[in-house]
Amino acid sequence: MPHARHLLIVDDEEDLRETLSEQLALTDEFTLSTAASGAEALDVVKENNIDLVIMDVGLPDMDGRDAVKRMREGGFRSPVIMLTGHATDSDTVLGLDAGANDYVAKPFRFAVLLARIRAQLRQYEASEDAVFSIGPYTFRPSAKLLVNERGSKLKLTEKETAILRFLYRAGQKVVTREVLLAEVWGYNANVTTHTLETHIYRLRQKIEQDPSNARILVTEQGGYKLIP
């Protein structure tokens, strides 16, 4: 099962928030948070690792585009999909200029919104801005960093970063040593499984509380997997 992405739904219509939350939860791909106002949404993104925001334009306390702009100014980099009842070109331009990634007009089909969510998450995870949660750490691949809950930073090598990124994208599926070698080192005849095992050992020394009893980067028959 892939790692569940944490979505935030921001809309003052309670029925829409509940319906969207229920439908998205049924996919088993997401965990959900909701907010009924811009101020509440700003608090949620500050206190949680949110992977994507679905933001209504018409909020009771502020324009949703202003909320997005403030999120971006505060350092929030994950995708934002705006919901609007006015699908004019100027409306879309204003939303994109504020920092939104996509625009969906109401009323919309759930399947269309779900496809947009998945597309935005795929693009984001391949981008330089991507940030992931791994165990007690925030993983920043572009900076080759793991940051723990106290804010302490662990510097990673390029290969360690590549290993973690690939295992993360595999969800909780076991990745064989052969696949990891091919993905991280390419088809290099001089690289052996011993090289990979050395890197795994060093990674565990950095990230595991007890490296001899791994709880995050675990060995399974034939390979490795990450436990969220």
Side-chain angles (χ1 to χ4, degrees):
M1 175 183 167
H3 293 287
R5 303 328 191 231
H6 191 174
L7 308 189
L8 170 62
I9 301 169
V10 189
D11 200 297
D12 60 340
E13 295 180 42
E14 185 176 358
D15 288 347
L16 180 60
R17 290 198 311 272
E18 290 182 357
T19 300
L20 269 183
S21 295
E22 289 170 4
Q23 289 180 309
L24 288 165
L26 288 173
T27 68
D28 289 330
E29 296 176 46
F30 312 110
T31 58
L32 286 305
S33 292
T34 62
S37 68
E40 190 181 346
L42 290 168
D43 287 339
V44 173
V45 297
K46 284 178 185 174
E47 296 168 7
N48 300 272
N49 288 321
I50 300 296
D51 295 302
L52 181 142
V53 174
I54 300 167
M55 173 75 73
D56 188 37
V57 169
L59 299 174
D61 58 339
M62 67 178 78
D63 189 299
R65 289 164 294 209
D66 291 333
V68 172
K69 187 175 181 181
R70 287 168 63 177
M71 286 178 183
R72 296 304 192 204
E73 289 171 349
F76 184 72
R77 294 288 175 264
S78 297
V80 177
I81 297 176
M82 301 293 297
L83 301 181
T84 179
H86 309 286
T88 65
D89 288 346
S90 60
D91 214 46
T92 302
V93 168
L94 286 171
L96 296 175
D97 282 349
N101 300 84
D102 201 356
Y103 236 78
V104 175
K106 295 179 178 178
F108 53 83
R109 291 184 179 179
F110 175 72
V112 171
L113 179 62
L114 180 60
R116 298 283 188 90
I117 290 169
R118 288 169 172 162
Q120 288 298 328
L121 287 170
R122 282 196 302 271
Q123 289 176 32
Y124 176 69
E125 289 174 4
S127 76
E128 289 297 302
D129 289 329
V131 176
F132 309 116
S133 293
I134 294 177
Y137 302 100
T138 300
F139 177 38
R140 301 178 182 273
S142 62
K144 301 183 181 69
L145 278 182
L146 285 171
V147 184
N148 69 17
E149 293 161 322
R150 297 184 301 278
S152 299
K153 297 177 180 178
L154 294 173
K155 189 67 179 171
L156 301 171
T157 67
E158 184 176 343
K159 296 301 186 198
E160 289 168 348
T161 300
I163 289 168
L164 284 183
R165 188 201 295 261
F166 192 81
L167 289 175
Y168 181 88
R169 287 180 174 162
Q172 293 184 55
K173 291 188 293 188
V174 177
V175 177
T176 66
R177 293 174 177 85
E178 291 74 19
V179 167
L180 263 181
L181 281 169
E183 290 293 334
V184 176
W185 279 271
Y187 292 97
N188 185 334
N190 296 322
V191 176
T192 66
T193 55
H194 177 71
T195 303
L196 172 61
E197 287 160 2
T198 300
H199 280 77
I200 296 289
Y201 172 82
R202 290 173 180 165
L203 254 178
R204 285 179 174 149
Q205 296 297 313
K206 291 181 178 181
I207 70 175
E208 299 282 359
Q209 188 171 3
D210 178 5
S212 63
N213 183 25
R215 297 296 179 90
I216 301 171
L217 204 178
V218 301
T219 301
E220 294 281 347
Q221 187 171 4
Y224 305 98
K225 73 176 182 180
L226 280 180
I227 304 295

